[in-house]
Amino acid sequence: MRINFRNLAQSVCLAASMATAAWAQSGDAQTKAPENWFNLDPQADKVYGVSTERAYQELLKGRKATPVIVAVIDGGVDVNHEDLKPVIWVNEKEIPNNGKDDDKNGYVDDIYGWNFIGGKDSSVHYDNLEVTRLYRAMKPKFDKADPSKLSDAEKKEYEKFQKVKAEFEKESKEAQNNYFTYQMFGSALENVKKQINKNPITLADLQAYKPADPVGEQVKQILENAMSQGATVAEIESQLKEGIEYFEKKAKYHMNLDFDPRATVGDDYANARERNYGNND
């Protein structure tokens, strides 16, 4: 079967050369992007960063810093990270690791906050997306329902179910297809590397390479496009690995109806008023 990597080529090239493409546009396509490219400014530095350094120089220069407490409500924080450790918020009313709720707020040893997606002995590492949870909950009632036999209230729920189902099927299919495509591209890239048999592979090596099949030709085109803008094969492989891992998690966990990790937490997901569950991880 011939694999079409055309759409993948755009994604891989964009990701692999994001840090180098804009820098190359400044006039020297062989110049490697600086390590702090993401902090630079599109106008001042001709690099598509987020202008952090310019903000410090022009907006914050001479201004007195005011401490701000930022609450993170997301997938977790590494409290030992070198940038976070000296500034991470600490609950001073709680005595670390004594197994007691010292501040009487309902949570034991909540030194840095609380993990609401953990249980007594472990935490949820991968979880479903909300659309997956909704589809799983509504599917038994409405998947084979006859709309003409539903009450007015049920018809509104049925309409919501149809939207949830369409969104789930679309995202699930995309995740599966992208996971498969990225894996196939990774295998094809490995074959190209073996055939060239050099490390590191240069742009000249790639240009001299004569693929034996259409898939190899597609890989060559993608690599040439990225490497001509300053990316290396190693950087492309790194971005490809991230893509494979991302879509693997989405396909196997986030969009998988048969995967439900909520038993680890032991809470009533439908009860928004429930409080005392989770752990201090």
Side-chain angles (χ1 to χ4, degrees), residues 75-127:
V77 173
D78 180 6
V79 297
N80 292 313
H81 189 281
E82 59 183 5
D83 293 328
L84 296 179
K85 195 169 184 177
V87 296
I88 197 77
W89 177 85
V90 176
N91 182 1
E92 296 179 351
K93 297 179 180 180
E94 196 77 20
I95 299 173
N97 305 317
N98 68 347
K100 298 180 180 180
D101 179 16
D102 300 293
D103 59 1
K104 308 301 181 184
N105 67 349
Y107 304 104
V108 176
D109 289 335
D110 54 326
I111 308 301
Y112 302 110
W114 196 254
N115 172 29
F116 288 95
I117 196 162
K120 181 180 179 181
D121 301 315
S122 61
S123 296
V124 172
H125 191 54
Y126 299 115
D127 201 0

Side-chain angles (χ1 to χ4, degrees), residues 19-196:
T20 56
W23 185 253
Q25 291 172 5
S26 65
D28 184 358
Q30 300 304 316
T31 302
K32 193 171 180 64
E35 292 186 1
N36 67 331
W37 68 268
F38 41 84
N39 286 323
L40 301 183
D41 179 75
Q43 293 180 338
D45 306 301
K46 308 302 181 187
V47 177
Y48 289 101
V50 296
S51 306
T52 312
E53 294 186 4
R54 186 180 176 188
Y56 274 104
Q57 293 166 3
E58 299 182 16
L59 298 178
L60 303 176
K61 189 175 181 179
R63 299 186 65 176
K64 183 179 179 181
T66 302
V68 176
I69 297 176
V70 179
V72 178
I73 307 176
D74 205 332
V77 173
D78 180 6
V79 297
N80 292 313
H81 189 281
E82 59 183 5
D83 293 328
L84 296 179
K85 195 169 184 177
V87 296
I88 197 77
W89 177 85
V90 176
N91 182 1
E92 296 179 351
K93 297 179 180 180
E94 196 77 20
I95 299 173
N97 305 317
N98 68 347
K100 298 180 180 180
D101 179 16
D102 300 293
D103 59 1
K104 308 301 181 184
N105 67 349
Y107 304 104
V108 176
D109 289 335
D110 54 326
I111 308 301
Y112 302 110
W114 196 254
N115 172 29
F116 288 95
I117 196 162
K120 181 180 179 181
D121 301 315
S122 61
S123 296
V124 172
H125 191 54
Y126 299 115
D127 201 0
N128 296 141
L129 292 183
E130 182 71 5
V131 66
T132 307
R133 290 194 284 263
L134 286 173
Y135 185 46
R136 181 192 292 115
M138 303 175 79
K139 189 173 185 287
K141 181 176 180 179
F142 292 113
D143 196 34
K144 296 181 180 180
D146 182 352
S148 65
K149 297 180 179 180
L150 299 176
S151 66
D152 290 343
E154 288 175 326
K155 286 180 180 177
K156 290 183 178 180
E157 285 188 78
Y158 181 77
E159 290 176 4
K160 179 181 179 180
F161 168 73
Q162 292 299 323
K163 293 179 180 178
V164 168
K165 179 181 179 180
E167 181 183 349
F168 171 82
E169 290 180 344
K170 178 176 180 292
E171 286 199 43
S172 179
K173 184 178 180 180
E174 287 178 353
Q176 294 286 349
N177 289 344
N178 284 325
Y179 178 41
F180 172 77
T181 304
Y182 269 68
Q183 282 185 307
M184 292 298 294
F185 182 81
S187 298
L189 176 56
E190 283 300 312
N191 288 334
V192 169
K193 287 173 58 184
K194 288 179 181 178
Q195 291 171 24
I196 295 177

